[in-house]
Amino acid sequence: MTTTRRDFLKRSITAGLGMFIAPTIVPASVFGPHAPSNRINIGAIGTGRISRDHDMPGVWKYDDVRIIAAADVDANRVADAKKLVEGYYSKKLGKPYSGVTTYENYLDLLANKDIDAVLISTPDHWHAKMAIDAVRAGKDVYLQKPTSLTIEEGRKMSDAVNATGRILQIGSQQRSMEQFRIACELVRNGRIGQLKDIEIRLPGDPPGGNPEEMPIPANLNYDMWLGQTPYVPYTIDRVHPQQGYDRPGWLRCEQFGAGMITGWGAHHFDIAHWAMDKEYSGPVEISGHAEFPTSGLWNVHGDYATEMLYDNGVVVRGTTNSKEKPNGVLFTGTEGWIFVSRGAYKASANDPETAGASKALQASDPKILTSVIGENEVHLYKSSDHHGNWLESVRTRKQNITPAEVAHRSCSACLLQHIAMKLNRKLYWDPVLERFKDDDEANSMIARPHRPPYNF
């Protein structure tokens, strides 16, 4: 008997990993005339580089999925997205296709009852608010990392997902790469002895950027692009290119994100949590320092070094990668080490180059890597396609590989390091209360003011 998405939604009552997710809101389109009951209709919010190269292609390849809407505050970009998606479906279907509705305001997209789920591929400062608005509108969410601009925003996002019973998956696609799962299983099952130290190596961002004010392009709703962050004059190096889809300048501005500590850190520190079985917790001590630019527009951290202590005694260190220490995650135990990286993989064609290209999985003894995980040992969640895993979760209502709370905790670890870089002293964190201990100055950095009317 063929099981449709309608059947899945009716029958599903429990989720994996011991968590309950109830399908409390079912989009009208599942039962209406605009889509078959087994089709997932998707809206893309934010249609820049990562959406075009990674997120939309990650879902449109599935026959039971259709991207039917796109929203972007840049009219040129949303028009490009419509052309891109409709061109793909025309070629796939072998006939002209015109079925993508475009919006400037994502809230209008969320009001479309035919949309079941959304891809959120915007600048970091919009992530948490859009995710909250989406789940409250009854949509399931694939959210680009990092989860949030602040720890407070991440907590609100995770709480909203749990309160609404929607599905949210963060775009930490390394979990769906086999080498990262294998590395974490080997560590969890003691193949390098007792885990002592994790070193996480991230690329850096260069200083620069032109801070001079420029006329706002007619095709850009700049006020909405800024969102809840303070108003500052427009300059192209603060936003994104008006021609093409090269790496945007906002990635290097602290107003919109913390830099590589969250940009790549959200991936690698998530893997550290997975290997330590600390996905729902965080460090208890954090220290660090970093070099920050003294001129130019771009002001995110450059070279940095951080150290976090977890309550299991494991020390997690963060550092800028180099030719001698390539980008990736190094696990060191009492009986050996394992190093894991993406290898040659890139999510986007113009991802930053990282020094020291290396094999995706290495160990102090090659025999470690061929060790078989026994039936009664720890076997981690297995996914071979990150977007596909999310779509399966949408269909079945079962837990996906990187849900909201796990994503929030990984992002929090990154943001804690960023706060330590700024204060340049040791901090003491309570991962249960999510507060610094006896430190008003540090606690004041857990949140940021929000500019109306885009406040939470």
Side-chain angles (χ1 to χ4, degrees):
M1 180 180 69
T2 301
T3 302
T4 68
R5 180 167 178 256
R6 178 187 291 134
D7 297 323
F8 276 131
L9 292 174
K10 283 182 176 180
R11 296 203 302 256
S12 299
I13 58 173
T14 58
L17 304 180
M19 297 182 68
F20 175 80
I21 296 182
T24 55
I25 304 173
V26 179
S29 63
V30 175
F31 307 104
H34 300 293
S37 61
N38 62 344
R39 176 180 292 168
I40 302 172
N41 285 337
I42 289 179
I45 303 175
T47 58
R49 176 185 66 123
I50 198 69
S51 179
R52 294 172 62 89
D53 288 0
H54 185 61
D55 288 334
M56 290 193 292
V59 300
W60 72 26
K61 63 187 179 184
Y62 289 93
D63 291 338
D64 61 348
V65 171
R66 190 64 52 84
I67 299 174
I68 66 168
D72 201 297
V73 294
D74 188 320
N76 291 346
R77 289 193 160 202
V78 78
D80 281 355
K82 177 180 173 68
K83 182 179 179 180
L84 177 70
V85 175
E86 291 181 349
Y88 172 82
Y89 285 130
S90 293
K91 184 176 181 180
K92 182 174 184 177
L93 299 172
K95 60 183 179 180
Y97 177 84
S98 179
V100 178
T101 304
T102 60
Y103 304 88
E104 177 184 272
N105 192 326
Y106 75 97
L107 293 173
D108 294 330
L109 182 149
L110 293 179
N112 185 337
K113 300 298 183 183
D114 290 331
I115 295 173
D116 304 313
V118 294
L119 302 168
I120 298 177
S121 315
T122 64
D124 298 358
H125 63 289
W126 267 108
H127 285 182
K129 176 166 173 52
M130 283 183 175
I132 291 170
D133 289 340
V135 298
R136 288 178 177 170
K139 315 301 184 187
D140 296 321
V141 177
Y142 186 98
L143 179 64
Q144 260 304 324
K145 55 78 206 166
T147 308
S148 61
L149 191 64
T150 68
I151 293 171
E152 180 192 59
E153 291 175 10
R155 169 46 54 211
K156 289 181 177 180
M157 183 279 296
S158 182
D159 288 349
V161 173
N162 291 330
T164 58
R166 304 317 303 164
I167 297 294
L168 183 143
Q169 173 147 299
I170 197 72
S172 186
Q173 70 269 14
Q174 289 183 169
R175 284 209 180 204
S176 294
M177 296 179 183
E178 185 178 33
Q179 71 267 31
F180 287 97
R181 176 182 54 80
I182 290 173
C184 290
E185 283 186 339
L186 292 171
V187 171
R188 284 261 200 124
N189 288 292
R191 296 306 193 268
I192 58 171
Q194 183 179 353
L195 181 63
K196 291 293 186 180
D197 183 278
I198 303 174
E199 184 178 16
I200 292 175
R201 305 159 183 170
L202 306 178
D205 265 318
N210 182 3
E212 293 184 13
E213 184 174 1
M214 300 177 182
I216 299 172
N219 53 285
L220 177 65
N221 184 339
Y222 180 59
D223 187 79
M224 190 171 190
W225 185 89
L226 287 171
Q228 40 98 344
T229 72
Y231 188 89
V232 288
Y234 172 83
T235 179
I236 194 168
D237 284 352
R238 179 176 276 128
V239 189
H240 56 249
Q242 283 297 301
Q243 299 292 328
Y245 291 89
D246 288 340
R247 195 162 183 262
W250 66 260
L251 283 165
R252 300 161 187 164
C253 297
E254 280 200 336
Q255 181 167 343
F256 314 115
M260 282 295 183
I261 192 64
T262 54
W264 267 78
H267 290 296
H268 285 351
F269 288 99
D270 175 61
I271 296 302
H273 280 187
W274 204 19
M276 286 193 293
D277 194 16
K278 291 295 180 182
E279 297 165 277
Y280 294 91
S281 186
V284 294
E285 296 180 10
I286 312 100
S287 60
H289 63 85
E291 297 177 7
F292 288 91
T294 56
S295 63
L297 176 69
W298 298 332
N299 59 357
V300 296
H301 72 88
D303 289 348
Y304 84 105
T306 58
E307 184 174 298
M308 298 188 292
L309 175 67
Y310 284 72
D311 62 6
N312 58 1
V314 175
V315 174
V316 180
R317 309 176 198 276
T319 184
T320 310
N321 73 282
S322 63
K323 289 183 179 180
E324 293 75 28
K325 292 188 172 186
N327 182 332
V329 184
L330 175 66
F331 300 99
T332 302
T334 55
E335 297 175 23
W337 56 262
I338 293 171
F339 177 78
V340 62
S341 73
R342 293 187 182 184
Y345 168 85
K346 285 189 174 186
S348 175
N350 51 34
D351 274 0
E353 295 293 336
T354 56
S358 62
K359 296 179 181 178
L361 190 60
Q362 303 173 60
S364 52
D365 182 345
K367 293 180 181 179
I368 293 174
L369 303 181
T370 57
S371 174
V372 177
I373 306 300
E375 182 180 348
N376 297 322
E377 292 188 288
V378 176
H379 290 261
L380 297 177
Y381 194 130
K382 187 175 182 179
S383 163
S384 59
D385 183 286
H386 208 59
H387 290 95
N389 177 257
W390 172 62
L391 293 169
E392 184 65 15
S393 186
V394 170
R395 295 183 195 99
T396 66
R397 317 313 290 172
K398 292 181 180 179
Q399 190 62 278
N400 53 275
I401 197 168
T402 49
E405 183 65 19
V406 169
H408 165 60
R409 294 293 183 160
S410 298
C411 185
S412 292
C414 301
L415 292 168
L416 289 170
Q417 291 170 88
H418 186 250
I419 293 172
M421 291 178 197
K422 290 292 187 177
L423 297 179
N424 201 25
R425 57 182 170 81
K426 183 171 283 192
L427 305 172
Y428 300 90
W429 179 249
D430 185 330
V432 176
L433 298 177
E434 293 184 275
R435 299 281 294 175
F436 291 102
K437 297 178 181 179
D438 303 317
D439 196 327
D440 292 341
E441 183 181 20
N443 280 323
S444 72
M445 300 171 75
I446 293 173
R448 296 190 197 182
H450 292 163
R451 182 173 69 98
Y454 308 105
N455 46 306
F456 282 44

